[in-house]
Each structure stands twice: as structure tokens, then as C-alpha cells.
Amino acid sequence: METRLLRYFVAVAEERHFGRAAERLHMAQPPLSQQIKQLEEQLGTKLFIRTTRKVDLTPAGELLLTRARALLEEHTQLARDVRTVGDGASGVLRLGSTGSATYRIMPKVIAATTEHMPGLQLNVQGEMLTPEMEEALAEGRLDIAILRPPVHNDEVEYSLLEKDLLAVALPAGHRLASHEVVDIHELRTENFICYPATSAVNTIFVETCRSAGFIPHTAQIARETSTLLTFVAAGLGIGMVPTSNYLPHSERIIFRPLRNAPSVDLAVAWKLGNQSPLVENFLKLCTNLAPEEGHSE
């Protein structure tokens, strides 16, 4: 049954007059009458009782009117939904994120997508390391990743979101907690809670220590930022974290800036050649979230 015939039928049924229905449909009356006759022949039953003064619905016509209205509305909504998905305003996006992005950029991302892409469902996988996000993007298991460069996979592209600096996370009561700024040389005898060796932050941290003339002593390895901070709060060592974590997570943790701190950038990454409208729109949204150069928060 063609939707065109259903639209013709609903117009006649609602107007109860072929002439007015034809005007509503912007067509001549004789072709409309022929279309209704064709519909009745297809269904094998009369839909209208025609008299010289009016047109009434048969019981079969009453049933078809109810069902036809619902079908036409569903058809219209389906067309809207398909266009929305095609325009990249709706769908499911698989998003990977480094743990340290959780504390500042991810709330912004989620708030922005809720406002500007309300049809988007984010499937977020947090506390991931850059190498595994690179691999997941290349293999198509992630659509987008919020990670920390460098990126070594040739199949992955990225765009910088903001520049962070390394800061020191200290247990409350630590000897350096009273310092406004901590010098890297003051940390040479400390026990460190570190990210895994493959972590971009850990790589930058270790190189910073080596440039200062010492190799940091690793007391504990923590894959997740939340775990790293828990170990610091427990007094098991100190941690080096991006300034995006510069928040009062606990009364047991004190954050201090590092003098001449190295940059640990945050970027949004995607698979090379991914032209999904959903991904493209999300990337535009992330670009709008990025602070102006030289004005990182």
C-alpha cells in the first residue's frame, strides 16, 4: 500500500468532501476520485459511503483512518531520523579517554554534546593509555579518543585541545607541601607513584628527571589516575600529574606546580580517513572547546 494513496485517503476522510480534499492536496478532483477507487480495489472493500451531499466513512474506512494516520506519522518520523543520523547529529559514538582528561575536559565535552548534539549517545571508555587508544582507533574499536601525544600510529590523526603542565601531587604533611613551587631537583630522593612505562605522561616525566640528573624511583605503578592519587593520599609516594588534575580531590593530597614544568598536551584523535558525519561534527565541537593559543586554563 503506497503512502501516497494513504495521504489521499486521509485528506478525503478528514475533509469528508472530495472537492475540498483535492484543493488541500493541490490536485484536480477526478484524479483523486480515481486514486481512492484504486485503493478500495486494492483492499477489496469500500472505504466511503458516497451521497450527493456528503461522504461518510464505512467501518473499514474508520479503521483505516486510525491506522493510516499512525503509519504516515511513523513514515515522517523515520525520514527525519534518517536525515538526522546522516547529518551527524544523532547516533552512537565510541569515545576513549585518558584518565587525566576526566577532571576537566570530559565534563566540558559531555555538556557540549548534550547541548549541541542531543541525539548523540556517548559510549565512553575511560582511564585508557595513549598506545591502546591508538590501536583501538586504527582497528575501528573506537571512533574518537581524548589522549596525550605523541601519537606513533600512522593511521591516527589528532588535533591539540589544550596544553597542560606537569604538577606534583604530594601527601598532606609532606616536607614540600609548604612550598609554593617545587623544583625537580628537590624530588630526586622521593618514591614515585608512576603511570605505566607506555604512558605519554610517564615518558615525559622520566625524561624530565633524567635531564635533571637522576632516575626516578618507582614505588608503585598505577594505570588509572584515580588509583595513582589514592596511593599518594595513602602516603605511599608522590605523583607527577597533568595540571588538569589540579583539583582538591582529597584533604590528604596537596598539588604544587613544578618549576619549568614540561608540557603534556591533550588532543582529540581519530582514524585517518574517517569521514563519518558524526565524527566530523564531534571534532568541530571539540575544536570549539579548545582554548585560544596561549590561553590554556
Side-chain angles (χ1 to χ4, degrees):
M1 191 185 307
E2 298 179 44
T3 55
R4 173 178 56 85
L5 291 180
L6 288 180
R7 284 196 295 271
Y8 291 165
F9 165 76
V10 170
V12 175
E14 291 178 347
E15 297 293 340
R16 301 297 172 106
H17 192 280
F18 276 86
R20 290 196 298 271
E23 290 179 6
R24 169 174 159 181
L25 295 168
H26 305 290
M27 63 186 299
Q29 182 175 333
L32 176 60
S33 298
Q34 288 297 319
Q35 295 295 321
I36 296 300
K37 182 178 179 181
Q38 178 183 335
L39 179 60
E40 289 178 323
E41 290 174 352
Q42 285 183 7
L43 296 173
T45 186
K46 289 289 185 181
L47 300 173
F48 295 102
I49 300 171
R50 301 167 177 81
T51 67
T52 55
R53 293 185 177 181
K54 63 179 181 177
V55 175
D56 284 328
L57 287 166
T58 65
E62 293 283 2
L63 173 62
L64 181 60
L65 178 59
T66 300
R67 299 284 183 87
R69 282 169 171 164
L71 286 171
L72 290 174
E73 175 57 31
E74 183 176 348
H75 181 268
T76 300
Q77 187 60 49
L78 175 60
R80 287 197 206 102
D81 291 345
V82 170
R83 283 195 300 271
T84 299
V85 172
D87 291 340
S90 179
V92 178
L93 194 73
R94 298 164 299 171
L95 172 64
S97 172
T98 178
S100 54
T102 303
Y103 301 92
R104 185 167 69 193
I105 193 68
M106 283 303 294
K108 291 182 180 180
V109 168
I110 292 172
T113 53
T114 301
E115 179 180 358
H116 300 290
M117 301 174 71
L120 175 65
Q121 178 184 336
L122 282 178
N123 184 348
V124 181
Q125 300 178 48
E127 301 284 6
M128 297 181 72
L129 301 177
T130 292
E132 62 181 320
M133 283 188 277
E134 288 184 54
E135 182 179 347
L137 287 170
E139 294 179 355
R141 291 182 283 111
L142 285 179
D143 302 305
I144 293 287
I146 306 295
L147 50 72
R148 295 196 181 276
V151 171
H152 301 290
N153 194 311
D154 293 338
E155 295 185 68
V156 176
E157 291 187 283
Y158 70 91
S159 175
L160 291 181
L161 289 176
E162 57 185 39
K163 290 182 177 294
D164 277 342
L165 299 174
L166 275 186
V168 187
L170 304 165
H174 190 277
R175 63 183 178 86
L176 297 175
S178 60
H179 291 209
E180 292 294 325
V181 180
V182 174
D183 193 291
I184 188 67
H185 294 92
E186 297 177 284
L187 305 177
R188 62 174 59 249
T189 61
E190 295 291 332
N191 293 322
F192 287 91
I193 313 299
C194 298
Y195 292 108
T198 55
S199 162
V201 173
N202 185 77
T203 300
I204 294 170
F205 155 62
V206 171
E207 182 57 36
T208 301
C209 292
R210 285 178 176 170
S211 297
F214 70 96
I215 298 176
H217 177 260
T218 301
Q220 186 76 42
I221 293 177
R223 186 178 184 280
E224 299 86 8
T225 299
S226 56
T227 303
L228 184 152
L229 294 175
T230 298
F231 285 142
V232 172
L236 299 183
I238 69 173
M240 300 291 284
V241 293
T243 51
S244 57
N245 294 309
Y246 209 111
L247 297 172
H249 300 285
S250 167
E251 294 179 354
R252 295 186 172 187
I253 302 176
I254 304 296
F255 294 94
R256 290 292 179 262
L258 185 68
R259 193 183 309 278
N260 299 321
S263 173
V264 280
D265 299 334
L266 198 63
V268 57
W270 63 97
K271 184 175 182 178
L272 179 67
N274 189 336
Q275 297 180 337
S276 161
L278 191 64
V279 169
E280 290 182 357
N281 285 340
F282 186 84
L283 290 174
K284 291 177 183 177
L285 183 148
C286 286
T287 300
N288 292 333
L289 290 178
E292 295 180 11
E293 189 174 349
H295 292 79
S296 178
E297 297 176 15

